[in-house]
Amino acid sequence: ETGVTQSPTHLIKTRGQQVTLRCSSQSGHNTVSWYQQALGQGPQFIFQYYREEENGRGNFPPRFSGLQFPNYSSELNVNALELDDSALYLCASSLDYTDTQYFGPGTRLTVL
Amino acid sequence: GENVEQHPSTLSVQEGDSAVIKCTYSDSASNYFPWYKQELGKGPQLIIDIRSNVGEKKDQRIAVTLNKTAKHFSLHITETQPEDSAVYFCAAGRGSTLGRLYFGRGTQLTVWP
């Protein structure tokens, strides 16, 4: 086990709704990265937070937003959900932004 | 941006045989190459990684080789066991600057007893 936890495990939403996913980093890690993994694909980078500041963003629209808190836990928020947002959302924590990333178990989001 | 290609997409081997998965990358600035194993219903688990100042790294039955000139790297698993069955992902990143990783599309490895 990596020590990275995510909640909830599964989530079902309808198109147009908003969702918040949560991640608790491994102890001592100040960096969290979020990835979207569609079925049968590799994870795709959404964004990264380092010491509460965004430190890079992938090719995702602004309706994907995030936060990192002083205890280094993190949230991923998605507004105006679309059917294509259905995926496994993974967070990964690392000691700092140059270091090895350790993934949590993911949150399975289904948009109907 | 970086483009990582991974082959094969599926691989079946007999228990005890070796398995090799190959990846290529496009960005010569990439200098960090981790491999992850993902079992059904779980998040990716790091199994080995290599940085570009090293050509080969080994950890028990698992080894990774890196050819910077050709921009390819490979995962070698020897003496495979049924519990090695999973999806394996290669990834590339610029470990010294940005933390984002670019992943391949994965290889479904099945080890038959």
Side-chain angles (χ1 to χ4, degrees):
Chain A
E1 296 297 326
T2 63
V4 180
T5 59
Q6 292 186 244
S7 63
T9 305
H10 296 91
L11 203 50
I12 299 175
K13 291 285 188 178
T14 56
R15 196 169 46 183
Q17 285 189 312
Q18 177 266 342
V19 69
T20 298
L21 311 181
R22 293 179 175 84
C23 171
S24 179
S25 299
Q26 191 168 333
S27 178
H29 286 191
N30 60 25
T31 302
V32 65
S33 305
W34 284 91
Y35 292 81
Q36 180 194 67
Q37 186 178 22
L39 207 59
Q41 305 289 324
Q44 279 204 309
F45 177 78
I46 303 174
F47 43 56
Q48 182 183 79
Y49 281 83
Y50 169 63
R51 292 185 174 181
E52 303 177 60
E53 297 286 331
E54 188 178 287
N55 182 46
R57 188 181 182 90
N59 189 26
F60 281 82
R63 59 189 184 85
F64 285 78
S65 63
L67 276 175
Q68 187 182 29
F69 301 101
N71 66 355
Y72 300 137
S73 65
S74 176
E75 285 182 356
L76 164 65
N77 298 289
V78 187
N79 293 323
L81 284 167
E82 301 177 0
L83 298 179
D84 284 350
D85 295 334
S86 295
L88 180 68
Y89 288 85
L90 297 160
C91 75
S93 77
S94 48
L95 202 56
D96 67 35
Y97 64 87
T98 67
D99 203 51
T100 303
Q101 296 184 21
Y102 298 94
F103 283 83
T107 293
R108 172 71 62 189
L109 173 65
T110 302
V111 182
L112 302 176
Chain B
E2 173 66 277
N3 181 43
V4 177
E5 295 195 356
Q6 182 172 348
H7 300 280
S9 56
T10 61
L11 181 59
S12 292
V13 300
Q14 202 74 30
E15 183 178 1
D17 286 350
S18 295
V20 180
I21 302 170
K22 298 182 179 183
C23 289
T24 61
Y25 63 99
S26 61
D27 187 353
S28 57
S30 290
N31 57 11
Y32 174 62
F33 307 93
W35 286 87
Y36 288 88
K37 173 184 180 182
Q38 188 173 27
E39 296 174 306
L40 203 59
K42 297 186 177 181
Q45 175 194 359
L46 179 76
I47 56 171
I48 196 167
D49 57 8
I50 192 168
R51 296 185 187 268
S52 61
N53 57 345
V54 176
E56 184 174 356
K57 185 176 177 181
K58 192 173 181 181
D59 183 4
Q60 298 183 349
R61 297 186 297 110
I62 293 173
V64 58
T65 58
L66 170 65
N67 183 326
K68 280 186 64 180
T69 304
K71 296 201 191 87
H72 68 69
F73 55 114
S74 301
L75 177 71
H76 304 252
I77 305 174
T78 59
E79 300 171 22
T80 53
Q81 302 165 4
E83 50 266 38
D84 293 330
S85 297
V87 179
Y88 290 80
F89 291 98
C90 63
R94 298 185 190 182
S96 60
T97 53
L98 295 174
R100 73 184 66 184
L101 294 176
Y102 297 86
F103 283 81
R105 296 184 64 153
T107 296
Q108 173 69 61
L109 173 65
T110 304
V111 180
W112 300 100

